[in-house]
Amino acid sequence: MAYETIIVDVEDHIALIRLNRPDALNALNAQLLGELVTALQAAQANEKVRCIVLTGSEKAFAAGADIGMMSEQSFVDVFMGDLFTEETDAICRIRKPIIAAVSGYALGGGCELAMMCDFIIASDTAKFGQPEINLGVMAGIGGTQRLTRAVGKAKAMDMNLTGRFMDAAEAERAGLVSRIVPAKELMKEAMGAAQKIAEKSMVTVIAIKESVNRSFETTLREGVLFERRVFHSLFATEDQKEGMAAFLEKRTAQFRDK
Ligand code: HXC
């Protein structure tokens, strides 16, 4: 499929999706999110793809939802149209792991999109923020919810109420990003992480993604029970036999996703 607002490359079991609206710092509109969902669903359906990396440009991962597109909309427009709900629900339903590789601005919907990914690797130039308050609105696709779970109430309130940006070092300290690397090494680091994941059993990878995400939806007791049952169920796979045998035989495991 020919995309206009994203660039997709599939190589070595990794789908690399690059947001590509350079004139608007990758601001999110219906076309971009629609194309992103199509590309993610294609990656989900493509048996060759074992991990997905989502990135933007050096200057911006994404500077938020498209303000020009939103400026003339009424309450009824956004409420009845349920602005971006379908797209973001579809993104969150992707079962394969998605790494966000963030350089430059990840603001508003851009920060929220990065947080919908499974983890964020940031360049030392990254800046995260929920500045919607400056536009007379507030976060609408997770900035008061996922950010609070990631960094806690104090920082989430600070970011959402003042609209200030968090640099990469603060974001790492606060637990929003998993690693920081120099800007020129960002893609190498993200692709390396994706490659590591691609080498694992896909059955186990998806089980882990589901289990970690479960922790956001349930009590600790129920979450640990869910985890334990999924752990038990992995003993029904050939990959468990292979992984443990390979360890004991001091060789690299050859997983077959079975
Ligand atoms: C539309 C945007 C945009 C956006 C930047 N641009 N952000 N267009 N929507 N969110 C455009 C600018 O208008 C400009 O276009 C070009 O990109 C370059 O931006 P500049 O402002 O000239 O660059 P710079 O001075 O470097 O400042 C970068 C910036 C700033 C700090 C990121 O652009 C900025 O503050 N952007 C808005 C960030 C924001 O408020 N995001 C939250 C959006 S609301 P021209 O044509 O002039 O060159 C949101 C809600 C999500 O995300 C919930 C949805 C349900």
Side-chain angles (χ1 to χ4, degrees), residues 41-244:
Q41 289 174 341
Q44 177 66 39
N46 183 345
E47 279 184 16
K48 284 199 196 115
V49 173
R50 305 176 68 81
C51 192
I52 300 161
V53 175
L54 179 61
T55 194
S57 67
E58 221 175 287
K59 180 162 182 189
F61 177 76
D66 192 307
I67 299 167
M69 171 274 295
M70 289 185 295
S71 62
E72 294 302 320
Q73 298 209 20
S74 67
F75 163 76
V76 172
D77 293 333
V78 294
F79 179 71
M80 294 307 285
D82 213 3
L83 186 64
F84 294 158
T85 300
E86 210 175 299
E87 294 91 337
T88 53
D89 282 356
I91 292 167
C92 295
R93 277 199 302 272
I94 298 298
R95 301 182 77 201
K96 290 180 181 172
I98 310 175
I99 301 171
V102 173
S103 182
Y105 296 110
L107 304 178
C111 184
E112 294 168 304
L113 177 61
M115 291 191 290
M116 284 173 224
C117 298
D118 297 309
F119 61 98
I120 301 173
I121 299 180
S123 90
D124 51 9
T125 64
K127 289 184 187 61
F128 299 88
Q130 299 294 159
E132 291 93 336
I133 192 162
N134 298 329
L135 302 169
V137 290
M138 59 182 276
I141 48 176
T144 67
Q145 302 302 303
R146 289 193 183 89
L147 186 66
T148 308
R149 283 163 165 80
V151 304
K153 177 184 166 185
K155 277 194 194 289
M157 281 288 190
D158 182 356
M159 309 267 297
N160 276 283
L161 290 175
T162 68
R164 80 170 174 90
F165 301 164
M166 200 187 248
D167 66 17
E170 184 181 3
E172 190 190 31
R173 277 200 309 277
L176 180 60
V177 313
S178 69
R179 330 175 180 179
I180 308 176
V181 291
K184 60 179 180 343
E185 286 166 30
L186 177 67
M187 292 320 295
K188 189 166 153 249
E189 187 80 9
M191 297 304 273
Q195 197 57 53
K196 276 254 177 278
I197 294 169
E199 289 162 11
K200 317 293 185 206
S201 163
M202 184 59 70
V203 181
T204 317
V205 164
I206 290 178
I208 290 171
K209 173 164 172 164
E210 282 186 13
S211 195
V212 173
N213 282 335
R214 200 77 201 137
S215 71
F216 293 102
E217 310 292 343
T218 192
T219 61
L220 180 61
R221 194 181 173 84
E222 287 300 319
V224 172
L225 179 60
F226 179 87
E227 174 193 274
R228 193 175 315 127
R229 294 298 178 235
V230 177
F231 167 76
H232 293 160
S233 71
L234 291 174
F235 284 71
T237 66
E238 290 176 17
D239 286 343
Q240 174 262 336
K241 303 287 174 291
E242 166 62 10
M244 294 192 180

